[in-house]
Amino acid sequence: MVAITLPDGTVQTHDAPVTGFKIAGAIGKGLAKAAVAIRVNGDLWDLTRAIEADAEIAIVTRETEEGRALLRHDAAHVMAEAVKALYPETQVTIGPAIEHGFYYDFSRKTPFTPEDLEKIEREMHAIVARDEAIAREVWEREKAIQFFKDQGEHYKAEIIEAIPVKEDVTLYRQGDFIDLCRGPHLPSTGKLGKGFKLMKLAGAYWRGDSRNEMLQRIYGTAWENEKELKAHLFRLEEAAKRDHRRLGREMDLFHIQEEAVGSIFWHPKGWTLYRMLEAYIRRRLDQADYVEVRTPELVDRMLWERSGHWEKFREHMFTAESEERTLALKPMNCPGHVQIFRQGLKSYRDLPLRMAEFGCCHRNEPSGALHGLMRVRAFTQDDAHIFCTQAQITEETKAFCTLLLSVYKDFGFEDVVVKFADRPDVRAGEDAVWDEAEQALRTATEATGLEISMNPGEGAFYGPKLEFVLRDAIGREWQCGTLQVDFVLPERLDANYVGEDGGKHRPVMLHRAILGSIERFIGVLIEHYAGRLPIWLAPTQVVVATITNESDAYAREVCETLRKAGLRAELDLRNEKINYKVREHSLAKTPLLLAIGSREAENHTVSLRRLGGKDQESLALEEAVARLSAEAAAPGL
RNA sequence: GCCGGAUUAGCUCAGUGGUAGAGCAGCGGUUUUGUAAACCGAAGGUCGGGGGUUCGAAUCCUCCAUCCGGCACCA
């Protein structure tokens, strides 16, 4: 007999051995049906695996995140079985569950085609319909290696060789397909159901290393039922409608063309948005006691050699030749800022010195990395460097975090997490200094109440860093802000200040940005708002549209009044129906529309319609102007 | 950079070897309209670029560019 303790504390006794399947059945038929695995003393087990001793258990059901992960893992195995059945010459490698689905990496000479994907998916449905039992087997290590080698599965053999000796080598058998796997799995392929779909083909390097063979990855999505699958596909369509590249064209904000790959042609409307954002962040920095500077874009290689960029960052830099000198477009502003810092003597009384620049940087990003506004070769950071003493790091970091959170809040980003990247293996500076810097960042972030996740060993070679990740309206994460402590650059470029003791001292530099790149942040905003920008950022804030041309004169007057009040107003006097105009300006995502007909002209009123709204509001012109200009005010003014 | 796919009118997309098409937008006209598409008409193309196969290429082959999806990269 074994005593099985359920999550609610009740104890069942069973004849030993007992399986998870049996336990679930004893609790309820519905639970047995929804069960996908069992947690035994904290470990996930197959439902069919024998439990020999007393245990604390929990049944894992398919509609939980954990259950879906198992389901997705099964889907990967079913896909591998389908691929091996259709294309026996293919080698299988690894196939994990991922967010929303799964993938499997295959090695095969001829690439898969989209048509193959359809075939594989059909075969998967057949395997599910056959409801093959999935059985766990523990194999002797050498036997397993030989088994896979005999099958020509060299990657699998390599994986087994890497499994620590004390761990069991477990294989899972379903139909004729045997795969190395840690498990657990559902009891049979039928349990996968129909809630899956193959999504895309992609290349992926073996073990994620670009020096290795490129494998073929097939991505799929999998859910507990078809309804959830459909809901997911719908969400993908909705997300695609927010794509900033599409909205950028539809809203006439910007374009990119072949002759300037990775650089943005800002159209008048897009540039208005850019200017508003820049003006906003400039105001916030002014208020936070930053000074703003501007440094050269084209700088002699001598300076990059001194700063270390020529050695560490050369391949990402664009260069130019002039009069036998090699110049480079700046990829970062920091060396320029140190040059300004070095002008004249600096005293400890000048610290902390917060030096900001909306500098245009160029980086030669690999072509495959380019992506709309999100990853470009020419961009503008809301960059600043804080020159301070080591003792000031905590206070400055704290102030920065507070400022960053307040800025994000103005865009509706309330959900922010911090990734703390500490010392990498290869680094500059002494451990005692790193200890102090890491502690300073930790103290500061803890004081702001931010959620911190560790990114061990991911710091820059010159110091630890914080990365600020925000979550947008549909739950996607974007890393925008950053704060990096730098001990190296002040040293390399010989920045110093006169201390209280009258001696020379080395300042610490904090590299920091809130928006990151303005281009990229605009991309994030477009997607976050789905193009419906808040009034203060909207390129056109209000359209004055006539119903018939009898009201043209009054409409002009209204538009003029709005403009005088500082609103970005446009006039629509076209010979079109008001329905047509409403539709067009709605599609253009103009937040406000004032319809002007004979009634309005007579009473000196306007009829206000808000984007997406169903009804209108009649207002006296003066009241409308007062109200709308108040609504259009940028935050922090 | 690597793997795969795509590139036809301003936009979205048909067109599998035999005279380049549609809808929307734009343009010209008619219509004077009350909150998400009035009607009529004329126009609009080096089918991404180069080379090749063919009597004949948007269509087949090849090289290149760009874009898209991943991978790698993002100090």
Side-chain angles (χ1 to χ4, degrees):
Chain A
M1 296 287 273
V2 285
I4 301 298
T5 310
L6 307 182
D8 65 359
T10 48
V11 179
Q12 288 184 352
T13 52
H14 289 271
D15 292 334
V18 67
T19 63
F21 206 62
K22 220 167 168 183
I23 297 167
I27 300 169
K29 230 176 163 182
L31 183 66
K33 206 175 163 205
V36 290
I38 182 168
R39 190 168 278 287
V40 180
N41 299 325
D43 295 328
L44 278 179
W45 284 29
D46 299 290
L47 287 171
T48 50
R49 186 165 165 190
I51 300 168
E52 313 269 5
D54 293 357
E56 285 186 20
I57 65 99
I59 302 292
V60 178
T61 54
R62 58 194 294 129
E63 74 282 358
T64 60
E65 213 29 65
E66 201 172 34
R68 276 192 286 265
L70 292 172
L71 207 72
R72 286 164 183 161
H73 189 194
D74 271 38
H77 276 243
V78 169
M79 177 164 76
E81 182 183 352
V83 167
K84 287 294 281 185
L86 293 166
Y87 315 98
E89 75 284 6
T90 307
Q91 285 190 66
V92 297
T93 69
I94 54 163
I98 52 172
E99 191 182 23
H100 304 151
F102 59 94
Y103 68 79
Y104 212 113
D105 284 345
F106 301 99
S107 169
R108 182 167 182 254
K109 278 203 187 67
T110 44
F112 291 113
T113 64
E115 294 72 49
D116 292 337
L117 233 56
E118 288 171 27
K119 263 189 231 159
I120 295 166
E121 195 173 301
R122 274 199 298 276
E123 180 63 25
M124 287 173 72
H125 280 289
I127 292 167
V128 169
R130 283 206 294 276
D131 196 19
E132 296 164 351
I134 305 177
R136 178 178 188 269
E137 300 174 6
V138 179
W139 281 43
E140 199 268 312
R141 173 180 302 261
E142 289 309 316
K143 196 181 142 205
I145 293 173
Q146 200 51 51
F147 172 78
F148 283 110
K149 279 189 176 161
D150 290 347
Q151 305 233 323
E153 296 280 8
H154 302 288
Y155 284 101
K156 279 289 174 197
E158 191 182 325
I159 296 168
I160 298 175
E161 280 164 358
I163 296 177
V165 182
K166 51 187 171 193
E167 278 181 38
D168 281 341
V169 174
T170 55
L171 273 62
Y172 277 79
R173 186 191 293 270
Q174 57 190 67
D176 297 330
F177 178 66
I178 299 179
D179 198 1
L180 170 76
C181 186
R182 191 172 287 134
H185 277 285
L186 311 196
S188 65
T189 57
K191 287 271 186 184
L192 176 55
K194 293 180 176 175
F196 66 88
K197 182 176 165 58
L198 299 189
M199 302 297 282
K200 54 199 172 197
L201 282 162
Y205 299 107
W206 167 240
R207 293 198 187 273
D209 189 326
S210 59
R211 289 166 301 191
N212 291 339
E213 185 200 348
M214 178 155 277
L215 306 170
Q216 292 182 64
R217 177 172 295 181
I218 303 179
Y219 280 96
T221 185
W223 299 83
E224 61 268 33
N225 55 46
E226 282 181 279
K227 191 176 156 222
E228 289 303 317
L229 170 66
K230 278 200 183 128
H232 174 67
L233 296 177
F234 180 74
R235 283 193 297 271
L236 288 182
E237 277 174 42
E238 290 303 300
K241 284 184 196 160
R242 291 172 175 256
D243 191 310
H244 73 283
R245 294 164 299 186
R246 170 178 170 162
L247 287 168
R249 186 181 56 241
E250 287 174 2
M251 295 169 72
D252 195 15
L253 301 177
F254 66 90
H255 85 271
I256 304 171
Q257 67 185 44
E258 277 193 36
E259 292 83 351
V261 168
S263 299
I264 310 301
F265 288 82
W266 287 104
H267 297 193
K269 287 188 169 140
W271 192 243
T272 301
L273 167 55
Y274 184 108
R275 279 168 47 214
M276 292 305 129
L277 183 60
E278 190 188 55
Y280 162 80
I281 195 72
R282 174 174 283 131
R283 206 157 52 233
R284 297 301 309 261
L285 293 185
D286 283 348
Q287 290 162 359
D289 286 327
Y290 282 71
V291 292
E292 188 178 326
V293 298
R294 183 80 182 186
T295 62
E297 267 150 49
L298 203 48
V299 177
D300 195 291
R301 96 178 237 188
M302 304 276 287
L303 181 65
W304 304 116
E305 282 171 0
R306 265 185 274 141
S307 70
H309 288 84
W310 198 256
E311 187 200 345
K312 300 252 180 209
F313 208 67
R314 172 75 188 89
E315 57 181 324
H316 296 288
M317 290 164 71
F318 291 105
T319 54
E321 302 293 325
S322 170
E323 297 183 342
E324 292 171 31
R325 286 153 74 99
T326 303
L327 304 156
L329 282 170
K330 67 175 173 186
M332 296 177 207
N333 301 307
C334 22
H337 290 185
V338 178
Q339 303 317 302
I340 294 180
F341 184 86
R342 278 164 43 90
Q343 292 295 305
L345 277 182
K346 290 291 177 295
S347 147
Y348 70 94
R349 291 198 198 90
D350 296 319
L351 304 186
L353 176 59
R354 308 183 191 90
M355 194 183 288
E357 175 172 3
F358 299 97
C360 179
C361 295
H362 285 79
R363 296 183 191 175
N364 196 357
E365 303 285 357
S367 56
L370 301 176
H371 180 93
L373 296 176
M374 302 300 194
R375 191 86 180 263
V376 289
R377 286 183 175 152
F379 57 93
T380 311
Q381 292 171 302
D382 63 321
D383 196 15
H385 295 92
I386 301 172
F387 296 86
C388 65
T389 66
Q390 203 146 329
Q392 289 168 331
I393 296 177
T394 306
E395 267 315 300
E396 285 305 306
T397 303
K398 228 188 272 181
F400 174 71
C401 290
T402 308
L403 176 62
L404 172 134
L405 287 176
S406 150
V407 166
Y408 285 1
K409 204 171 173 184
D410 282 339
F411 298 99
F413 300 121
E414 307 264 359
D415 192 356
V416 181
V417 297
V418 186
K419 290 190 181 156
F420 190 120
D422 62 9
R423 66 191 75 186
D425 293 337
V426 184
R427 58 180 181 266
E430 290 172 19
D431 283 359
V433 181
W434 277 87
D435 287 342
E436 200 171 326
E438 285 171 5
Q439 194 46 51
L441 292 189
R442 200 165 291 127
T443 310
T445 43
E446 277 164 10
T448 58
L450 281 159
E451 186 192 324
I452 302 167
S453 70
M454 289 305 293
N455 228 345
E458 291 294 309
F461 74 93
Y462 50 73
K465 68 181 180 188
L466 301 175
E467 291 180 335
F468 299 85
V469 178
L470 56 84
R471 195 185 285 272
D472 74 10
I474 56 172
R476 291 172 307 179
E477 294 192 339
W478 303 96
Q479 194 240 300
C480 294
T482 181
L483 181 140
Q484 309 180 8
V485 183
D486 189 349
F487 311 117
V488 173
L489 199 63
E491 178 80 37
R492 293 197 69 133
L493 296 179
D494 192 28
N496 52 62
Y497 66 92
V498 179
E500 242 171 311
D501 57 4
K504 269 192 186 178
H505 297 270
R506 205 57 89 193
V508 175
M509 274 174 91
L510 304 180
H511 306 248
R512 41 105 300 162
I514 298 175
L515 310 180
S517 120
I518 297 187
E519 288 78 0
R520 181 160 186 275
F521 199 78
I522 289 176
V524 173
L525 287 181
I526 291 170
E527 303 206 352
H528 172 61
Y529 293 123
R532 299 178 164 215
L533 297 163
I535 300 176
W536 70 278
L537 285 171
T540 301
Q541 298 173 312
V542 48
V543 164
V544 179
T546 50
I547 290 166
T548 73
N549 58 21
E550 274 178 23
S551 323
D552 282 4
Y554 177 58
R556 277 184 225 276
E557 183 196 332
V558 170
C559 188
E560 220 24 64
T561 314
L562 292 167
R563 284 187 180 170
K564 275 188 188 137
L567 286 151
R568 295 188 289 277
E570 299 291 335
L571 202 52
D572 186 351
L573 303 180
R574 291 175 304 171
N575 175 13
E576 297 289 353
K577 290 181 123 173
I578 192 69
N579 286 343
Y580 181 91
K581 294 184 183 181
V582 165
R583 177 182 153 83
E584 208 170 66
H585 298 298
S586 298
L587 289 174
K589 306 193 190 333
T590 309
L592 305 164
L593 183 131
L594 299 182
I596 304 294
S598 46
R599 284 207 295 272
E600 285 74 19
E602 230 166 85
N603 305 321
H604 211 69
T605 60
V606 295
S607 168
L608 170 66
R609 183 189 211 277
R610 288 170 190 280
L611 177 59
K614 287 257 183 293
D615 37 38
Q616 311 98 49
E617 194 178 355
S618 183
L619 294 169
L621 176 57
E622 292 66 30
E623 197 195 340
V625 172
R627 234 155 87 177
L628 297 185
S629 31
E631 277 185 45
L637 269 181

